[in-house]
Amino acid sequence: MADSFYDAFSPEEIARISAAGTRVHLPAGWSPIWERTPADKAYVILDGTVSVRQHGEEIAQLGPGEVVGEAAIVNHSLRTASIVALTPLELIHFTDDAVRRLCEEMPSFKAALEAVALERFGAH
């Protein structure tokens, strides 16, 4: 299991990041992000597991502490994968504006997002 996205931040920064988003619950089977759609949101998983799928094939599973949907916002591109809830999920939902605002106001947030995007997609 990878380190939590939140590990890079102080408690104050975590509170600020969390406050920029909205806590949401999604049922198993739900797809909050679809491949090839505009980058209008990102999520941090608080509880539950998601399947990351490209062209219908699972390429990864992500769980608590992971961020999803960030790459398309960071890269100003369409979604590269779909996300499907394997379990009920508790998430923090961020609009693209919230992500951009956090990136401008908190260099550490932008650096952490870019590091995740690079780790996942830098090998391509």
Side-chain angles (χ1 to χ4, degrees):
M1 177 80 182
D3 292 338
S4 169
F5 175 70
Y6 279 138
D7 287 351
F9 305 106
S10 70
E12 294 80 17
E13 287 174 320
I14 291 169
R16 189 167 166 192
I17 293 164
S18 298
T22 306
R23 212 171 171 119
V24 294
H25 301 276
L26 294 179
W30 193 268
S31 288
I33 291 175
W34 289 88
E35 196 171 354
R36 300 171 142 22
T37 59
D40 60 348
K41 58 189 171 265
Y43 298 93
V44 171
I45 302 169
L46 299 176
D47 193 39
T49 305
V50 301
S51 171
V52 181
R53 298 177 184 171
Q54 282 184 329
H55 317 299
E57 296 287 319
E58 183 173 284
I59 58 167
Q61 287 189 9
L62 301 175
E66 302 266 20
V67 61
V68 294
E70 82 301 324
I73 293 175
V74 169
N75 298 325
H76 306 289
S77 64
L78 292 178
R79 299 285 182 205
T80 55
S82 298
I83 304 295
V84 180
L86 297 177
T87 65
L89 298 177
E90 189 163 337
L91 308 162
I92 297 180
H93 167 272
F94 299 96
T95 64
D96 56 338
D97 286 342
V99 171
R100 289 192 184 97
R101 196 164 53 250
L102 282 168
C103 284
E104 286 170 15
E105 295 172 1
M106 291 178 61
S108 57
F109 180 80
K110 183 175 185 184
L113 275 192
E114 288 174 343
V116 170
L118 191 65
E119 183 182 304
R120 290 186 187 158
F121 303 103
H124 293 296

mmCIF file of all heavy atoms in Angstrom, residues 1 8 15 20 30 55 73 78 80 85 96 109 113-114 117:
data_model
loop_
_atom_site.group_PDB
_atom_site.id
_atom_site.type_symbol
_atom_site.label_atom_id
_atom_site.label_comp_id
_atom_site.label_asym_id
_atom_site.label_seq_id
_atom_site.Cartn_x
_atom_site.Cartn_y
_atom_site.Cartn_z
ATOM 1 N N MET A 1 0.846 -1.188 0.000
ATOM 2 C CA MET A 1 0.000 0.000 0.000
ATOM 3 C C MET A 1 0.885 1.244 0.000
ATOM 4 O O MET A 1 1.819 1.361 0.780
ATOM 5 C CB MET A 1 -0.887 -0.037 1.257
ATOM 6 C CG MET A 1 -1.778 1.156 1.438
ATOM 7 S SD MET A 1 -3.232 1.004 0.408
ATOM 8 C CE MET A 1 -4.042 2.529 0.788
ATOM 9 N N ALA A 8 2.334 14.057 3.263
ATOM 10 C CA ALA A 8 3.227 15.165 2.915
ATOM 11 C C ALA A 8 2.876 16.466 3.632
ATOM 12 O O ALA A 8 3.602 17.441 3.528
ATOM 13 C CB ALA A 8 3.183 15.394 1.399
ATOM 14 N N ALA A 15 -6.114 20.181 7.284
ATOM 15 C CA ALA A 15 -7.397 20.832 7.591
ATOM 16 C C ALA A 15 -7.786 21.797 6.482
ATOM 17 O O ALA A 15 -8.954 21.859 6.075
ATOM 18 C CB ALA A 15 -7.298 21.562 8.927
ATOM 19 N N ALA A 20 -11.344 22.732 1.700
ATOM 20 C CA ALA A 20 -11.539 23.205 0.324
ATOM 21 C C ALA A 20 -12.457 22.278 -0.470
ATOM 22 O O ALA A 20 -12.931 22.640 -1.541
ATOM 23 C CB ALA A 20 -10.190 23.320 -0.384
ATOM 24 N N TRP A 30 -20.552 2.660 -8.208
ATOM 25 C CA TRP A 30 -20.643 4.014 -8.753
ATOM 26 C C TRP A 30 -19.337 4.388 -9.449
ATOM 27 O O TRP A 30 -18.272 3.995 -9.028
ATOM 28 C CB TRP A 30 -20.921 4.974 -7.603
ATOM 29 C CG TRP A 30 -21.342 6.337 -8.017
ATOM 30 C CD1 TRP A 30 -20.544 7.419 -8.225
ATOM 31 C CD2 TRP A 30 -22.685 6.787 -8.256
ATOM 32 N NE1 TRP A 30 -21.293 8.508 -8.575
ATOM 33 C CE2 TRP A 30 -22.606 8.147 -8.602
ATOM 34 C CE3 TRP A 30 -23.926 6.163 -8.206
ATOM 35 C CZ2 TRP A 30 -23.745 8.901 -8.907
ATOM 36 C CZ3 TRP A 30 -25.049 6.914 -8.498
ATOM 37 C CH2 TRP A 30 -24.956 8.259 -8.848
ATOM 38 N N HIS A 55 -9.884 1.598 -20.781
ATOM 39 C CA HIS A 55 -10.527 0.784 -21.829
ATOM 40 C C HIS A 55 -11.188 -0.454 -21.225
ATOM 41 O O HIS A 55 -11.145 -1.538 -21.806
ATOM 42 C CB HIS A 55 -9.514 0.364 -22.897
ATOM 43 C CG HIS A 55 -8.588 1.468 -23.316
ATOM 44 N ND1 HIS A 55 -9.025 2.645 -23.893
ATOM 45 C CD2 HIS A 55 -7.252 1.593 -23.211
ATOM 46 C CE1 HIS A 55 -7.985 3.420 -24.139
ATOM 47 N NE2 HIS A 55 -6.899 2.812 -23.724
ATOM 48 N N ILE A 73 -6.337 17.210 -14.301
ATOM 49 C CA ILE A 73 -6.318 18.630 -13.911
ATOM 50 C C ILE A 73 -4.894 19.173 -14.016
ATOM 51 O O ILE A 73 -4.659 20.214 -14.618
ATOM 52 C CB ILE A 73 -6.879 18.818 -12.490
ATOM 53 C CG1 ILE A 73 -8.380 18.481 -12.475
ATOM 54 C CG2 ILE A 73 -6.663 20.263 -12.008
ATOM 55 C CD1 ILE A 73 -9.019 18.503 -11.096
ATOM 56 N N LEU A 78 -7.901 15.427 -20.993
ATOM 57 C CA LEU A 78 -9.080 14.617 -20.707
ATOM 58 C C LEU A 78 -8.680 13.492 -19.758
ATOM 59 O O LEU A 78 -7.500 13.169 -19.612
ATOM 60 C CB LEU A 78 -9.660 14.034 -21.999
ATOM 61 C CG LEU A 78 -10.281 15.039 -22.968
ATOM 62 C CD1 LEU A 78 -10.776 14.318 -24.216
ATOM 63 C CD2 LEU A 78 -11.419 15.823 -22.321
ATOM 64 N N THR A 80 -7.716 10.045 -18.225
ATOM 65 C CA THR A 80 -6.966 8.925 -18.805
ATOM 66 C C THR A 80 -7.527 7.582 -18.348
ATOM 67 O O THR A 80 -7.133 6.541 -18.856
ATOM 68 C CB THR A 80 -5.476 9.006 -18.401
ATOM 69 O OG1 THR A 80 -5.402 9.061 -16.972
ATOM 70 C CG2 THR A 80 -4.830 10.256 -18.986
ATOM 71 N N ALA A 85 -16.180 2.397 -7.962
ATOM 72 C CA ALA A 85 -16.169 2.060 -6.537
ATOM 73 C C ALA A 85 -16.357 0.556 -6.354
ATOM 74 O O ALA A 85 -17.363 -0.001 -6.793
ATOM 75 C CB ALA A 85 -17.288 2.816 -5.823
ATOM 76 N N ASP A 96 -12.512 21.405 -9.910
ATOM 77 C CA ASP A 96 -11.249 21.777 -10.545
ATOM 78 C C ASP A 96 -10.793 23.151 -10.048
ATOM 79 O O ASP A 96 -9.608 23.388 -9.854
ATOM 80 C CB ASP A 96 -11.343 21.721 -12.068
ATOM 81 C CG ASP A 96 -12.458 22.583 -12.640
ATOM 82 O OD1 ASP A 96 -13.412 22.909 -11.917
ATOM 83 O OD2 ASP A 96 -12.379 22.909 -13.832
ATOM 84 N N PHE A 109 0.919 21.534 -1.848
ATOM 85 C CA PHE A 109 -0.193 20.764 -2.413
ATOM 86 C C PHE A 109 0.068 20.495 -3.896
ATOM 87 O O PHE A 109 -0.066 19.381 -4.377
ATOM 88 C CB PHE A 109 -1.510 21.538 -2.231
ATOM 89 C CG PHE A 109 -2.719 20.821 -2.772
ATOM 90 C CD1 PHE A 109 -3.333 19.809 -2.047
ATOM 91 C CD2 PHE A 109 -3.249 21.161 -4.003
ATOM 92 C CE1 PHE A 109 -4.450 19.151 -2.532
ATOM 93 C CE2 PHE A 109 -4.368 20.501 -4.505
ATOM 94 C CZ PHE A 109 -4.968 19.499 -3.768
ATOM 95 N N LEU A 113 0.585 16.819 -5.669
ATOM 96 C CA LEU A 113 -0.237 16.365 -6.794
ATOM 97 C C LEU A 113 0.636 15.996 -7.980
ATOM 98 O O LEU A 113 0.421 14.970 -8.628
ATOM 99 C CB LEU A 113 -1.205 17.468 -7.238
ATOM 100 C CG LEU A 113 -2.529 17.612 -6.543
ATOM 101 C CD1 LEU A 113 -3.420 18.557 -7.334
ATOM 102 C CD2 LEU A 113 -3.228 16.285 -6.346
ATOM 103 N N GLU A 114 1.595 16.853 -8.289
ATOM 104 C CA GLU A 114 2.476 16.588 -9.428
ATOM 105 C C GLU A 114 3.297 15.329 -9.200
ATOM 106 O O GLU A 114 3.537 14.568 -10.130
ATOM 107 C CB GLU A 114 3.377 17.807 -9.698
ATOM 108 C CG GLU A 114 2.585 18.958 -10.296
ATOM 109 C CD GLU A 114 3.384 20.238 -10.455
ATOM 110 O OE1 GLU A 114 4.460 20.368 -9.816
ATOM 111 O OE2 GLU A 114 2.919 21.116 -11.201
ATOM 112 N N ALA A 117 0.989 12.388 -9.897
ATOM 113 C CA ALA A 117 0.751 12.274 -11.340
ATOM 114 C C ALA A 117 1.987 11.713 -12.043
ATOM 115 O O ALA A 117 1.880 10.845 -12.921
ATOM 116 C CB ALA A 117 0.364 13.635 -11.921
#
